[in-house]
Amino acid sequence: MIDELLPESVSAAEVFGAPPAAALLPEEEPLVAHAVAKRTREFAAGRWCARRAMAGLGSPPVPILPGPRGEPRWPSGLVGAITHCEGYAAAAVARSAEVLALGVDAEPAKPLPDGVLEAVALPGERAALPQSLYGAPPLPWDRLLFSAKESVYKAWFPMTRRPLEFEDAWLTFDPDDGTFTARLLVPGWRLGDSVLTGFQGRWAVRAGLVMTAVAVPAGQGERPDPAPGVGAATGATR
């Protein structure tokens, strides 16, 4: 389902439930050696999806190790993003010559716990959300806002190596065409002769999930060199 929110140049894969056996490569196993079963299962499902998505671009299976903030580190020439929640995982990968940055996020299609919306959304954002959280079909707009901010962060941080807090981007939704806009409230990122000051994304609610995605096309400027020892990385996880 996640691929419906992404350009054709992006390869995506998803899995419902537990991943296949041996989903982790030996280099990845120590990363969750002491984790609880739920964390291990979700981590393995995300990595399995990542390699499936990479295969769609003709890339061989390699370990996907985390960067300093937990962001997946991709082979040179690729960008990507991973998401997982209870019972679902997905990954999206593209060639960096075609896509500058990717962010995807999936969440259960349920209202946020009490107090979370106030912590992640600006007062104006909350006021601009549709007044009814649920319609027909159910649309948990508070969860959509949270998910979209996660997708924006996942696209932003690996590209810029700069943190982005929840209050650093102002999001608005179009409830009719399944799109959203994120306007940065911090200095943008220079891309050649232009500056990236926001993101365009897409959203969907189906199969009990809220899904959001951001894809920044390449060609707007030279992509910054990644940090030493880090491949062309995108898709940070929190």
Side-chain angles (χ1 to χ4, degrees), residues 64-217:
I64 308 297
L65 303 178
R69 286 181 175 252
E71 74 281 5
R73 296 187 296 172
W74 303 93
S76 180
L78 297 181
V79 298
I82 297 174
T83 185
H84 47 69
C85 61
E86 185 64 35
Y88 178 79
V93 180
R95 295 181 178 90
S96 57
E98 298 176 317
V99 176
L100 187 67
L102 281 171
V104 297
D105 187 71
E107 305 281 340
K110 300 176 181 179
L112 290 171
D114 290 344
V116 174
L117 181 62
E118 290 75 15
V120 303
L122 296 162
E125 287 180 306
R126 300 199 299 270
L129 288 176
Q131 293 302 303
S132 176
L133 289 181
Y134 287 90
L139 293 177
W141 290 103
D142 57 345
R143 185 76 70 163
L144 269 166
L145 178 63
F146 176 84
S147 177
K149 290 209 172 191
E150 287 289 302
S151 285
V152 167
Y153 175 85
K154 292 177 181 182
W156 169 263
F157 174 74
M159 179 174 60
T160 66
R161 298 294 164 188
R162 285 164 38 187
L164 191 73
E165 304 300 334
F166 283 113
E167 65 270 18
D168 291 339
W170 184 293
L171 271 64
T172 55
F173 289 85
D174 188 320
D176 297 319
D177 69 358
T179 63
F180 66 89
T181 299
R183 177 169 59 89
L184 294 175
L185 303 180
V186 295
W189 185 249
R190 181 163 293 281
L191 299 169
D193 295 329
S194 63
V195 177
L196 180 70
T197 59
F199 297 87
Q200 300 294 319
R202 299 184 65 193
W203 61 267
V205 180
R206 61 188 64 175
L209 295 169
V210 162
M211 296 178 292
T212 59
V214 169
V216 180

Side-chain angles (χ1 to χ4, degrees), residues 214-225:
V214 169
V216 180
Q220 301 182 54
E222 292 299 319
R223 192 170 192 278
D225 291 332

